[in-house]
Amino acid sequence: MTLPRTVSDVLTDHVRFEVECIDRMYLNVFVPELQRTGQVVGFLMRHRGFPIASTALVAPMSKRFVADIARFAAVQHVPLVHFAKGQRKDDVMHEHLATFTGTDAIVFVGVAQEKAHVFRTERRHNPTTGAPYPWIVTSTAVVNHYYFYGVDDDFGPFFLKFCSYFPYTARLCINGNEYAKRQATKAGIGFEPLDNGFAAVADPAALQAICDGLSEAKIDALLRKWLARLPHPYTVEDRRAGYRYDISILQAEFSLTHMLDQPVSGRVFFEQVIRDNLDLGRPDRVQLIFDRRIFRGRKHPTPSRFRTRVITHHVTPSLYVDYKHTTIKQYHKEGRALRTETTINDTYDFNIGRRLTNLPALRKIGFSANRRLLDVQRLSHDPADGTTTLTAITEPVRTETGQRVAGMRFTDDRVQALFSVLCIFRLLPRGFTNRDLREHLEPLLGRAPGTFSSGQGTYDLRRLRHHGLIERIPHSHRYRVTTEGHRRALFLSKTHHRLLRDGLAEITAAPTNPAKIRAADRAYQAALDDLLTRAGIAA
């Protein structure tokens, strides 16, 4: 078995199979009609018929809900566990799962005191008469939360957490990889589990189809199923009146797992990636990975941390790239798999709403970010070379109508600037426009903002397109960098900046300035002169 030497080698020749799947999702379960104080007043007075609006009126409702939970635990013979301060709830779940034999039931109910956003009633006074009156305001309070840890027949382990205080907001936590395991078992697809993933699978294509089938409708059905089984804080009349739970996304992880053939493949991958990609967290790189514009001025700067982190754990490192509330994480999973995952903690980072109906749009962003990151890492170590390729770029070409399109001279500063810009634009999920091209070319060419005309941009776009470096997105005025275009631009840019420019500078340096390449050049010239003399060719 050959050993990989580059990132490209690892991803091309040392991956047994790959799985792209929604990973962990943390969802907000809330009643849309009870999010503002005016809505709470309407619930109490118009719906419940109380003469005044005071949160004290929902105290019996809260007591009944807590009593129903205790009754449920007793009737179903489900343990009621009080979490200790600082105790990891997932560890408690794993302990109970070790002895749990059910397939579609609640494992235990946990109780913990946590901070929550609630509505409170404060006493105010009429400024004219001085008479007191109740007024509902938003506040925070530390109250009991009830965790229903369960195992679903379709989704596997999950938990549904309820706040015991009005309006009884809940949280639902699921795992897409656990869902995939359950569905693969039902479909008769053989596999070997790998913690939160798959170590081996008999039919990778069928498994991927299962992962792709995890939709917002199935997640919503999961919630409805367990809301019907568990104690519910709202009565049937409340729900008929429109006070029903809905779902929004608090956190979503989108993972891409490459199962490797041997542990050394993962170590080679990270050695190469860390050496060449530690600048991925810079604002100018991050804003292109996520297609967001970042402002760095003193007035209204983009609130975020832009950084790349390398965290070592048991020798093998993990790579993190942060942008606002979103993180791309790469790590060597159990020394056997390469895991790349994008975690979105605030959908508004991408101008997308939080409702579960926006999951397809978030899914596209998360999975695209994983692929683009790997594509950059792969191409960073797999440049194209060859006389044919170089000629195809530097020489003029003819269009189908016979028009001549100028070549892209390798030593031209403007061409090198175009190559550098293409390496950046490759990361844009929605492509780029004439204006984007001009804005990035101007500082590279030392031009003042606005001095690079639209016509000049069109000229460059035409050259890039007819030389196969970019392609136009159908039915739009946007362009995207082709895979081959990125590969060639990256190679030619690195060759020009790192090899030719620096190498020629060392060769032509003053004799007093020591340089290894200059010494090698002088030794080569002396050896060549000696060979010509001995051959009798010298003048």
Side-chain angles (χ1 to χ4, degrees):
M1 181 180 294
T2 60
L3 294 178
R5 302 182 61 182
T6 67
V7 167
S8 181
D9 287 344
V10 173
L11 297 177
T12 303
D13 302 323
H14 295 269
V15 174
R16 291 179 176 173
F17 66 91
E18 66 176 41
V19 178
E20 190 176 62
C21 186
I22 294 176
D23 197 14
R24 183 177 181 271
M25 290 195 70
Y26 194 49
L27 306 167
N28 184 38
V29 182
F30 68 106
V31 180
E33 299 301 322
L34 292 175
Q35 298 303 298
R36 297 187 296 272
T37 55
Q39 294 174 321
V40 175
V41 171
F43 174 82
L44 294 172
M45 299 184 70
R46 288 192 297 272
H47 173 62
R48 286 294 181 97
F50 292 115
I52 61 172
S54 172
T55 52
L57 300 172
V58 298
M61 186 176 178
S62 299
K63 291 180 180 179
R64 177 183 60 80
F65 182 42
V66 173
D68 288 345
I69 294 174
R71 189 178 305 110
F72 171 86
V75 172
Q76 299 294 327
H77 304 289
V78 174
L80 191 62
V81 178
H82 289 266
F83 294 118
K85 185 177 181 180
Q87 186 178 21
R88 293 190 75 254
K89 301 174 180 64
D90 285 347
D91 292 342
V92 179
M93 176 59 168
H94 290 315
E95 292 175 4
H96 282 78
L97 282 178
T99 57
F100 184 73
T101 58
T103 59
D104 200 48
I106 296 299
V107 180
F108 72 96
V109 179
V111 186
Q113 283 202 333
E114 299 174 2
K115 183 180 290 187
H117 291 280
V118 298
F119 294 100
R120 289 187 179 276
T121 303
E122 63 180 30
R123 180 184 294 271
R124 295 190 177 183
H125 294 81
N126 187 301
T128 303
T129 64
Y133 62 92
W135 190 262
I136 295 178
V137 297
T138 57
S139 181
T140 59
V142 177
V143 298
N144 279 345
H145 286 71
Y146 290 86
Y147 286 77
F148 290 88
Y149 276 89
V151 175
D152 183 78
D153 188 50
D154 290 322
F155 279 79
F158 75 97
F159 75 75
L160 181 61
K161 175 182 74 169
F162 284 96
C163 175
S164 63
Y165 201 90
F166 186 84
Y168 315 109
T169 302
R171 300 283 190 270
L172 173 64
C173 184
I174 62 173
N175 190 299
N177 281 291
E178 295 299 327
Y179 165 84
K181 291 176 183 178
R182 289 273 168 164
Q183 298 304 313
T185 301
K186 289 185 176 183
I189 302 173
F191 66 89
E192 177 189 344
L194 176 71
D195 185 22
N196 186 26
F198 297 83
V201 60
D203 190 343
L207 176 62
Q208 187 59 61
I210 289 174
C211 296
D212 295 340
L214 178 53
S215 64
E216 61 274 20
K218 292 181 179 179
I219 296 174
D220 185 79
L222 171 72
L223 174 67
R224 306 301 165 192
K225 169 185 174 179
W226 287 99
L227 284 178
R229 294 185 180 187
L230 300 176
H232 203 296
Y234 295 98
T235 65
V236 175
E237 291 74 19
D238 294 336
R239 283 172 268 171
R240 287 175 180 171
Y243 296 100
R244 297 174 56 85
Y245 281 115
D246 203 346
I247 308 175
S248 63
I249 301 172
L250 293 177
Q251 183 186 77
E253 296 179 356
F254 303 92
S255 67
L256 174 59
T257 305
H258 291 85
M259 177 51 58
L260 304 176
D261 58 354
Q262 51 188 333
V264 69
S265 299
R267 293 195 292 270
V268 169
F269 179 93
F270 278 101
E271 287 174 3
Q272 297 285 348
V273 163
I274 290 172
R275 185 178 66 227
D276 283 2
N277 293 278
L278 283 180
D279 61 344
L280 286 172
R282 285 168 36 192
D284 59 332
R285 300 289 299 277
V286 168
Q287 69 178 346
L288 295 169
I289 291 175
F290 294 105
D291 193 22
R292 316 310 305 165
R293 191 166 185 176
I294 294 175
F295 298 93
R296 303 195 66 187
R298 293 184 178 180
K299 187 176 183 181
H300 307 302
T302 301
S304 182
R305 293 182 300 178
F306 307 104
R307 60 180 180 175
T308 306
R309 293 176 289 158
V310 177
I311 299 177
T312 57
H313 180 66
H314 299 318
V315 181
T316 303
S318 300
L319 182 69
Y320 292 74
V321 180
D322 296 333
Y323 164 70
K324 288 190 175 180
H325 306 90
T326 300
T327 299
I328 300 182
K329 176 184 177 182
Q330 255 185 348
Y331 59 97
H332 199 188
K333 190 172 185 64
E334 295 191 7
R336 302 174 66 185
L338 167 64
R339 172 65 67 86
T340 306
E341 60 187 29
T342 295
T343 302
I344 299 175
N345 296 295
D346 189 347
T347 65
Y348 290 135
D349 286 350
F350 306 96
N351 296 327
I352 296 176
R354 292 196 177 103
R355 290 292 181 93
L356 186 62
T357 53
N358 294 298
L359 180 59
L362 285 180
R363 188 183 199 130
K364 184 177 181 180
I365 289 174
F367 289 145
S368 296
N370 293 338
R371 294 287 182 181
R372 288 196 304 271
L373 177 60
L374 283 169
D375 195 31
V376 170
Q377 293 168 338
R378 178 201 296 266
L379 294 177
S380 296
H381 307 283
D382 189 21
D385 193 11
T387 303
T388 303
T389 302
L390 183 62
T391 302
I393 295 175
T394 58
E395 294 296 318
V397 296
R398 294 282 180 180
T399 66
E400 295 179 355
T401 59
Q403 293 180 324
R404 181 181 183 275
V405 178
M408 307 189 70
R409 291 179 298 167
F410 179 64
T411 56
D412 187 354
D413 288 342
R414 183 163 165 180
V415 170
Q416 285 298 324
L418 285 170
F419 289 159
S420 299
V421 170
L422 291 188
C423 293
I424 298 175
F425 283 170
R426 173 62 176 170
L427 302 173
L428 288 174
R430 296 179 56 247
F432 64 96
T433 63
N434 187 316
R435 181 179 178 181
D436 296 330
L437 181 68
R438 289 183 277 121
E439 288 180 349
H440 283 78
L441 281 178
E442 285 169 348
L444 292 176
L445 296 174
R447 302 273 291 270
T451 58
F452 202 87
S453 68
S454 176
Q456 290 173 306
T458 301
Y459 171 78
D460 286 331
L461 287 172
R462 187 167 180 264
R463 286 200 295 172
L464 292 169
R465 184 164 61 88
H466 284 287
H467 284 85
L469 301 177
I470 66 173
E471 61 185 3
R472 187 170 181 175
I473 299 176
H475 312 297
S476 73
H477 294 288
R478 305 184 72 86
Y479 301 82
R480 56 178 166 238
V481 182
T482 63
T483 300
E484 286 300 319
H486 184 207
R487 182 179 289 117
R488 295 168 183 176
L490 185 63
F491 177 80
L492 294 174
S493 178
K494 285 188 175 183
T495 300
H496 181 270
H497 296 311
R498 298 185 182 182
L499 179 61
L500 295 183
R501 188 176 61 184
D502 294 345
L504 289 172
E506 289 191 13
I507 289 176
T508 57
T512 56
N513 185 17
K516 290 184 178 180
I517 192 170
R518 186 176 186 279
D521 175 65
R522 297 297 182 264
Y524 171 76
Q525 291 294 341
L528 185 60
D529 291 342
D530 180 65
L531 177 63
L532 293 174
T533 300
R534 287 187 284 109
I537 302 177

